[in-house]
Amino acid sequence: MVRISILGTGNVAWHLVSAFSAAEDVEIVQLVGRNPSALKNLYVRLSTTNSPPKVSDFSYIAESDVYILAVSDDAIAEVSGFIGDRKGLVVHTSGSVSMDVLSQHPRHGVLYPLQSFSKDRKVDTESVPFCLEAGTDADMHVLKNLASNLSQKIYGVDSDQRRVLHLAAVFVNNFTNHLYHIGQHLCQNEGLPFDLLQPLIQETAYKIEHLSPIDSQTGPARRGDAKTINIHLEQLQNSDYKEVYSVLSESILNLYREKNPS
Amino acid sequence: MVRISILGTGNVAWHLVSAFSAAEDVEIVQLVGRNPSALKNLYVRLSTTNSPPKVSDFSYIAESDVYILAVSDDAIAEVSGFIGDRKGLVVHTSGSVSMDVLSQHPRHGVLYPLQSFSKDRKVDTESVPFCLEAGTDADMHVLKNLASNLSQKIYGVDSDQRRVLHLAAVFVNNFTNHLYHIGQHLCQNEGLPFDLLQPLIQETAYKIEHLSPIDSQTGPARRGDAKTINIHLEQLQNSDYKEVYSVLSESILNLYREKNPS
């Protein structure tokens, strides 16, 4: 039995508490959050009668095997300070913050779930890759053991790699979502339902589970079809969308020009 | 029973022939393709013993209720010329070409399946939206009847709307796929498997079936987090990726700045 405390009241905290609550070999000793009403909301959202003890006063933080800091990047250093010299492994859950921010704790590490967590949308953690880092092999073992309660996709990822991974996630998640928004906006302006694009969006994502993106690339830029590119640029009224179209087309053109020099 | 001919030997032709072959109320009179070996490949890929008759010589085009031109945009006008003054409804399958290109035929229209069709990857046409346009109500009825053999998602879409739809598809399909490539490339440079990003990619696509992209946007640009944006820009070595990051972040910043003026 691993005894853990979760500090934080946001989406990552909620998903971790939900998932660890269902794990047989894990006991959640405490939920810790500065803001009592956020803590209460976390409890309500858990929709379970067996919610772990909650504390808002950091001086009441209990002893635990692992402290999981599921707080915003900027708050990690400060919140870790409240753990003080309590024993136990202290980890954060951030993609972009180095493990070193926790080096004041003799035992420290990172447990980064690589997924986009939204409020009120439950994610099956079994499919989530957990990227782990620890100061010692022994603590890496502790983290692997802990994470294996939630997922079979466990990776050792150091701080430099994690930073790149987080950057890659911005491209495939944040930027992709913005392209979806542009698609929706263009449709709406023509009185067309966004539903029309949904099957294409799903197929585009699904396809690269089997085919590398570089091999599944299609479209005017892939074909080097300057005529269609220019027509599209003329069609676009929004100057931001025009820029996005232009820069992405240029990047695709350059990629395949390198691959197929004429 | 609707009697159709399919002209073309590419991916769209293959998917249409496969799907219509299984439709009870449709008879494929002929497959027409200029290139005999491409036509033979189409036949082989169908993996059925009941392949429809094939012709490579356009002078042998048979009478048919509907001629479906599943050829490249540039070839539509030329190939439609070979149909000459045969009776029947002549339609193309392109997202970006106006219906007018077929106006030499008294009966003309468009049957545009809005999906990304790849070689050797079978798409369930039931989930594909079919965008239809016709010169007359009677021919629109013919197309609706025909398309309903493949899908329940049938939309009347005029040439202007279809052009915008095709442009939107470039954003959500072609450009999204390129973002996947960038994510993969960044991972590979760090010795990380692309598998790490797959669940995030699937969740990003899946999420917008339930939540509008504008509401599911996250990330540094959404938060107006200039510090992280600058760190990411410094991390990126590839000048194209840097440009892509910069322009997409700017577009997101502008969008939410308009929504939440400070």
Side-chain angles (χ1 to χ4, degrees):
Chain A
M1 179 69 73
V2 188
R3 302 173 73 251
I4 67 171
S5 296
I6 295 177
L7 296 87
T9 54
N11 289 328
V12 174
W14 180 64
H15 280 89
L16 289 179
V17 176
S18 300
F20 278 127
S21 295
E24 274 185 21
D25 295 335
V26 178
E27 181 196 344
I28 304 181
V29 176
Q30 249 180 0
L31 303 182
V32 185
R34 190 191 313 250
N35 182 331
S37 74
L39 204 55
K40 194 179 163 204
N41 280 339
L42 185 74
Y43 171 79
V44 170
R45 286 168 65 199
L46 283 174
S47 60
T48 164
T49 49
N50 296 320
S51 175
K54 306 175 295 295
V55 294
S56 295
D57 184 338
F58 288 132
S59 54
Y60 291 115
I61 293 177
E63 292 291 336
S64 192
D65 296 331
V66 184
Y67 297 93
I68 301 177
L69 306 177
V71 298
S72 68
D73 290 0
D74 291 342
I76 293 172
E78 187 195 354
V79 174
S80 85
F82 293 116
I83 297 170
D85 55 2
R86 287 175 180 79
K87 284 177 203 160
L89 173 57
V90 181
V91 302
H92 72 63
T93 57
S94 165
S96 50
V97 175
S98 166
M99 180 172 69
D100 296 342
V101 73
L102 299 174
S103 58
Q104 60 161 315
H105 303 280
R107 296 177 57 204
H108 51 263
V110 179
L111 181 142
Y112 170 48
L114 181 43
Q115 187 49 281
S116 165
F117 296 108
S118 310
K119 204 182 159 194
D120 299 329
R121 176 163 160 71
K122 197 139 187 174
V123 170
D124 179 8
T125 52
E126 270 183 54
S127 70
V128 175
F130 279 80
C131 304
L132 309 180
E133 185 178 13
T136 66
D137 288 350
D139 282 338
M140 188 59 154
H141 185 73
V142 170
L143 285 182
K144 280 186 177 167
N145 183 33
L146 179 62
S148 69
N149 283 282
L150 305 188
S151 171
Q152 296 310 308
K153 298 186 174 175
I154 291 172
Y155 298 83
V157 171
D158 68 29
S159 290
D160 286 344
Q161 288 176 317
R162 198 174 58 253
R163 248 191 303 269
V164 172
L165 211 45
H166 185 252
L167 175 58
V170 169
F171 279 92
V172 303
N173 170 253
N174 302 158
F175 291 163
T176 291
N177 186 74
H178 187 56
L179 295 180
Y180 296 161
H181 164 73
I182 295 175
Q184 181 180 39
H185 194 204
L186 293 171
C187 283
Q188 279 173 343
N189 285 349
E190 286 291 320
L192 294 164
F194 186 43
D195 285 356
L196 267 164
L197 294 178
Q198 290 277 5
L200 179 62
I201 286 172
Q202 304 307 325
E203 171 69 10
T204 305
Y206 190 64
K207 194 185 277 184
I208 51 120
E209 288 198 332
H210 312 278
L211 195 64
S212 186
I214 203 153
D215 295 322
S216 52
Q217 187 67 54
T218 56
R222 172 65 185 97
R223 295 192 305 271
D225 176 354
K227 187 180 147 201
T228 300
I229 291 174
N230 286 329
I231 292 171
H232 281 165
L233 285 172
E234 276 171 37
Q235 262 183 276
L236 287 163
Q237 303 296 316
N238 181 308
S239 61
D240 279 337
Y241 299 174
K242 215 186 262 279
E243 270 291 293
V244 169
Y245 187 103
S246 176
V247 164
L248 278 161
S249 292
E250 195 59 38
S251 182
I252 296 170
L253 282 164
N254 288 339
L255 177 65
Y256 292 92
R257 196 179 291 140
E258 285 163 22
K259 292 202 152 303
N260 308 308
S262 55
Chain B
M1 180 68 73
V2 188
R3 302 172 73 252
I4 67 172
S5 296
I6 294 176
L7 296 86
T9 54
N11 289 327
V12 174
W14 180 66
H15 281 88
L16 289 178
V17 175
S18 300
F20 278 126
S21 295
E24 274 186 19
D25 296 336
V26 177
E27 182 196 345
I28 304 181
V29 176
Q30 247 181 3
L31 302 183
V32 185
R34 189 192 313 249
N35 182 331
S37 75
L39 204 55
K40 193 179 165 205
N41 279 339
L42 185 75
Y43 171 80
V44 170
R45 287 167 64 198
L46 284 175
S47 58
T48 164
T49 48
N50 296 320
S51 176
K54 305 175 297 295
V55 294
S56 295
D57 185 338
F58 288 130
S59 54
Y60 292 114
I61 293 177
E63 292 291 336
S64 193
D65 295 329
V66 184
Y67 297 93
I68 300 177
L69 306 177
V71 299
S72 67
D73 290 0
D74 291 341
I76 292 171
E78 186 194 354
V79 173
S80 85
F82 294 116
I83 297 170
D85 55 2
R86 287 175 181 78
K87 284 179 202 158
L89 173 57
V90 181
V91 301
H92 71 65
T93 57
S94 164
S96 49
V97 176
S98 166
M99 180 172 71
D100 297 341
V101 72
L102 299 174
S103 57
Q104 62 162 314
H105 303 279
R107 296 178 57 206
H108 52 263
V110 179
L111 181 141
Y112 170 47
L114 180 43
Q115 187 50 282
S116 165
F117 295 108
S118 310
K119 202 181 161 196
D120 297 330
R121 176 163 160 72
K122 196 140 188 176
V123 169
D124 179 8
T125 53
E126 271 184 53
S127 70
V128 175
F130 279 79
C131 304
L132 309 180
E133 186 178 11
T136 65
D137 289 348
D139 283 337
M140 188 58 154
H141 185 74
V142 170
L143 284 183
K144 280 185 179 170
N145 183 34
L146 179 62
S148 68
N149 284 282
L150 304 188
S151 172
Q152 296 311 306
K153 298 184 175 178
I154 291 171
Y155 298 83
V157 171
D158 69 28
S159 289
D160 286 342
Q161 289 177 315
R162 198 173 58 253
R163 247 191 303 268
V164 172
L165 211 45
H166 185 253
L167 174 57
V170 169
F171 279 92
V172 303
N173 171 254
N174 303 158
F175 291 164
T176 290
N177 186 73
H178 186 56
L179 294 181
Y180 296 161
H181 164 73
I182 294 176
Q184 181 180 40
H185 194 205
L186 292 172
C187 282
Q188 279 173 343
N189 285 348
E190 286 290 320
L192 294 164
F194 185 43
D195 285 354
L196 267 165
L197 293 178
Q198 290 277 6
L200 179 63
I201 286 171
Q202 302 308 324
E203 171 68 12
T204 305
Y206 189 65
K207 194 185 278 184
I208 50 119
E209 289 198 332
H210 312 277
L211 195 64
S212 185
I214 202 153
D215 295 322
S216 52
Q217 187 66 55
T218 57
R222 171 67 185 94
R223 295 192 304 271
D225 178 353
K227 189 180 144 198
T228 300
I229 291 174
N230 286 329
I231 291 171
H232 281 166
L233 286 172
E234 277 172 35
Q235 261 182 278
L236 288 163
Q237 304 295 317
N238 181 307
S239 62
D240 279 338
Y241 299 174
K242 216 187 264 278
E243 271 291 294
V244 168
Y245 188 104
S246 177
V247 163
L248 278 162
S249 292
E250 196 60 38
S251 182
I252 295 171
L253 283 165
N254 288 339
L255 177 64
Y256 291 92
R257 197 179 289 142
E258 285 164 22
K259 291 201 154 295
N260 308 309
S262 54

